[in-house]
Amino acid sequence: MNYILHLLIMIGIYLVLSYGLNLVVGFGGLLSLCYAVFYGIGAYASTLLMVKVGISFIPAVLLGIVIAAIFAFLIGVPALRFRGDSFVLVTLGIQMIVFTILYNWVDLTRGPYGIPGIPRPVVAGYEITSLYEYLILVGVILLFSLSVLFILYNAPFGLALKALRDDEMAAEGLGKSPVHMFLYAFVISAVFASTAGSLYAAYVTYIDPTSFTLDESIFLLAILLVGGAGNRIGPFVGTVFMILLPEALRFLGLPDTVAPNVRQMIYGLTLIVLMFLRPQGLAGEYRVK
Amino acid sequence: MMEGLKIKRVSKTLNGIRIVDDVTATFLPGRITALIGPNGAGKTTLFHLITGELKADSGEIVYKGDDISKLKPYIIARRGVGRLFQDVRVFDNLTVFDNVASACFDQEVESPWYPFVKCSHLKRKIREIKDVIYSYLNFVGLSDMDNIYAGALSYGQQKLLAIARLLAGGYSLLLLDEPTAGLNPVMIKKVLEILERIVEEDKGKTIILVEHNMSAVTEVADWVYFMNEGKIAFFGRTDHVLGDKEVREIYLGM
């Protein structure tokens, strides 16, 4: 039962991430490889604020959001001058730089030693300790995040982003500013990544930089490519599929000596086959290029 | 005073070739002015310069009294300059309805906070534009395809959609790059009729028409600029320009 609750909590956290990233990748059509940066900034910012400054969970999450949004703005301004392959490479570079800083700025982040003993979240004077309580906390934040994001998806804002994605020159000819719209999307998506990061840190009570690597950014992008980007159902399908598939493969009854490797290979093979059969993702209508 | 669009001594060199060479032209509101000339004469590049996709090397482009030649394309669009692209450029992964809708919102409504701070305004606005969108879709005969992705339409239908999108944008200066190419005779007639209606109903609107279809040009345009090798070679009343010996030899092959 605890195992299922744990999976549900992780799915909830990853739903916040994938629906946030959807704004940039699905609506904006920008393949970002640095989303884990904002996930990490949220986790570290709220953790350090709780551990070193001693403020409580909710203000720490909110301040973490502000800090992540500022970073997203500072990163987005230069990165969003690029499109296509160049944008992918620029975000890859940003991901590497931020990881290196998290890993080596030992005075601030404790680097590879990580930060253990993160206090459990206290919400309105009530300390959250059991898995059930965590699941409710994640669920509430997920619902709030989705209601905000779905309004944006359906608003003229979402439509303008999709227009810019499909044909930037034509959309700009209709008066849409690519720089402003993409920057809004980039910063808003970072807000949700940061929220998810704070939740993650408070849930596992230990963070180190290896949770926020390039691998993590690729995994988040893969969720959208597998599930389908640019709509409301794709991120859900992708998140559930990508988190549950490796878990399901545990029950194949493979011999222990080769099991982890074979599981990884089946996982990889499934993704390849999927891209052959559904290049737009399981529930996608738009093919990310 | 109606000033329209004034192009003053504009030049543009790309890859060592002078594509637009010292062009001076005036396009007055309340009329349709045609811009004709052989392929490669610089007509589309001139459009790129007006909309800001390309920046002129020298010269001024003045619209409604302001020099717009240094502005970004989206700002020029917000000043009322709309364009129909030669290669249509509809939004393939948006529905027919959403393609037209994308032209209907201004930057305030498109901001991310608008749906949160002005929720009721937004709902009303969306209701209002729905009728507008369907009236344009009806006009081009696409209203029963409103839920189809634009990428699935034929070239001719995409062109009609692009025209509907442009009209829905409510621009005061319309740059039309071959609006009748790829359309059937009935649709050509309809499109030309709406162009005439636009300038008749609103004398503040200016239309510039790039066209290779001479019967369309004679039908709707009173004035014609003839462009050749980057220069304005001839300007005058349509029948004068099309009757000119040089124009007939270089362009019409007569």
Side-chain angles (χ1 to χ4, degrees):
Chain A
M1 193 62 211
N2 282 353
Y3 172 64
I4 291 173
L5 285 176
H6 166 73
L7 285 180
L8 286 175
I9 290 167
M10 290 313 288
I11 286 174
I13 290 172
Y14 274 91
L15 283 175
V16 176
L17 286 165
S18 60
Y19 276 97
L21 183 62
N22 195 23
L23 213 50
V24 172
V25 175
F27 285 74
L30 299 162
L31 285 183
S32 167
L33 275 182
C34 66
Y35 199 50
V37 161
F38 308 113
Y39 184 37
I41 288 175
Y44 269 96
S46 61
T47 297
L48 290 172
L49 284 166
M50 285 195 287
V51 173
K52 293 207 167 168
V53 185
I55 65 176
S56 68
F57 179 69
I58 297 285
V61 173
L62 294 176
L63 275 172
I65 285 174
V66 173
I67 291 166
I70 291 169
F71 271 93
F73 179 81
L74 296 176
I75 290 170
V77 168
L80 289 166
R81 298 171 65 95
F82 300 92
R83 296 287 182 277
D85 302 347
S86 315
F87 179 79
V88 176
L89 283 176
V90 168
T91 54
L92 172 74
I94 290 161
Q95 170 69 48
M96 290 157 71
I97 291 169
V98 174
F99 173 75
T100 308
I101 293 172
L102 286 180
Y103 203 79
N104 291 291
W105 192 354
V106 177
D107 290 344
L108 182 72
T109 67
R110 289 178 38 93
Y113 310 112
I115 304 174
I118 299 169
R120 298 194 171 277
V122 178
V123 179
Y126 185 83
E127 190 182 5
I128 288 168
T129 48
S130 77
L131 284 172
Y132 281 109
E133 291 161 350
Y134 271 110
L135 186 59
I136 290 168
L137 176 69
V138 170
V140 168
I141 289 179
L142 175 64
L143 275 182
F144 178 74
S145 305
L146 290 191
S147 43
V148 171
L149 281 167
F150 283 2
I151 288 172
L152 287 174
Y153 286 3
N154 279 343
F157 174 67
L159 183 62
L161 276 176
K162 288 200 275 187
L164 283 161
R165 170 197 79 187
D166 275 10
D167 193 321
E168 190 169 329
M169 198 208 260
E172 200 172 2
L174 296 172
K176 297 168 205 332
S177 163
V179 176
H180 290 93
M181 300 306 277
F182 286 146
L183 198 54
Y184 287 144
F186 203 69
V187 172
I188 293 167
S189 81
V191 164
F192 292 96
S194 167
T195 309
S198 305
L199 273 178
Y200 173 78
Y203 171 57
V204 296
T205 69
Y206 168 81
I207 52 169
D208 70 57
T210 58
S211 298
F212 313 106
T213 56
L214 177 62
D215 278 1
E216 187 65 17
S217 280
I218 293 173
F219 180 77
L220 291 165
L221 197 54
I223 284 178
L224 289 182
L225 298 184
V226 164
N231 62 18
R232 288 197 284 184
I233 183 75
F236 176 79
V237 175
T239 304
V240 173
F241 185 88
M242 291 292 281
I243 290 184
L244 292 191
L245 180 64
E247 302 297 331
L249 293 175
R250 285 173 197 256
F251 300 104
L252 280 182
L254 296 165
D256 285 348
T257 45
V258 295
N261 300 331
V262 173
R263 279 209 300 266
Q264 276 293 357
M265 285 163 69
I266 295 176
Y267 193 36
L269 196 64
T270 312
L271 297 186
I272 294 170
V273 171
L274 194 68
M275 282 301 108
F276 268 107
L277 298 178
R278 297 262 325 159
Q280 72 276 48
L282 286 168
E285 54 218 41
Y286 158 69
R287 184 176 174 182
V288 182
K289 289 186 204 78
Chain B
M1 194 183 96
M2 293 295 186
E3 287 184 334
L5 178 76
K6 286 192 177 120
I7 296 170
K8 296 179 185 166
R9 309 208 59 176
V10 164
S11 296
K12 179 69 185 177
T13 302
L14 281 174
N15 300 325
I17 304 167
R18 213 167 171 82
I19 301 187
V20 172
D21 189 0
D22 200 15
V23 164
T24 297
T26 302
F27 299 90
L28 291 177
R31 63 165 71 152
I32 300 172
T33 310
L35 181 62
I36 63 169
N39 298 318
K43 308 182 296 290
T44 300
T45 305
L46 191 60
F47 272 11
H48 278 314
L49 293 171
I50 298 169
T51 58
E53 290 298 336
L54 290 174
K55 297 288 167 224
D57 299 331
S58 60
E60 272 182 24
I61 298 171
V62 179
Y63 184 57
K64 288 183 174 169
D66 297 323
D67 182 7
I68 59 169
S69 63
K70 308 279 187 296
L71 301 178
K72 294 211 163 78
Y74 70 89
I75 297 191
I76 294 175
R78 287 174 191 173
R79 298 235 177 151
V81 180
R83 176 177 186 186
L84 181 76
F85 291 92
Q86 201 174 6
D87 47 350
V88 297
R89 290 181 174 269
V90 293
F91 304 124
D92 282 349
N93 298 293
L94 296 185
T95 62
V96 166
F97 181 89
D98 279 350
N99 260 274
V100 182
S102 69
C104 295
F105 300 110
D106 59 27
Q107 80 237 51
E108 190 200 353
V109 180
E110 280 176 350
S111 72
W113 47 85
Y114 193 85
F116 301 100
V117 295
K118 297 239 172 99
C119 183
S120 54
H121 287 241
L122 182 62
K123 279 188 181 137
R124 204 182 59 227
K125 203 153 223 155
I126 287 172
R127 265 201 309 277
E128 283 167 8
I129 66 152
K130 210 164 186 170
D131 295 336
V132 178
I133 292 167
Y134 276 108
S135 72
Y136 286 114
L137 286 180
N138 263 328
F139 168 72
V140 296
L142 290 175
S143 53
D144 51 348
M145 298 186 165
D146 54 351
N147 263 322
I148 294 177
Y149 286 109
L153 299 178
S154 73
Y155 174 78
Q157 289 171 322
Q158 290 188 345
K159 185 144 242 169
L160 293 171
L161 177 57
I163 290 169
R165 184 177 71 182
L166 184 70
L167 297 178
Y171 298 101
S172 56
L173 170 60
L174 299 178
L175 309 174
L176 310 174
D177 208 339
E178 302 194 23
T180 69
L183 298 187
N184 66 47
V186 177
M187 277 324 303
I188 291 179
K189 199 158 170 279
K190 266 184 104 171
V191 168
L192 295 178
E193 273 167 19
I194 184 86
L195 297 184
E196 288 185 306
R197 213 165 75 205
I198 289 171
V199 286
E200 253 165 47
E201 281 174 6
D202 186 347
K203 296 286 177 205
K205 294 211 173 184
T206 311
I207 295 183
I208 309 178
L209 181 68
V210 164
E211 220 8 291
H212 289 303
N213 173 352
M214 285 309 117
S215 67
V217 170
T218 35
E219 199 177 322
V220 296
D222 299 324
W223 297 86
V224 173
Y225 280 96
F226 177 72
M227 231 180 141
N228 191 31
E229 291 174 350
K231 289 187 164 72
I232 298 288
F234 214 96
F235 169 64
R237 287 258 173 204
T238 307
D239 45 348
H240 287 179
V241 175
L242 295 184
D244 179 71
K245 190 164 163 286
E246 192 189 356
V247 174
R248 293 172 77 91
E249 270 173 17
I250 297 173
Y251 182 52
L252 301 173
M254 297 195 312

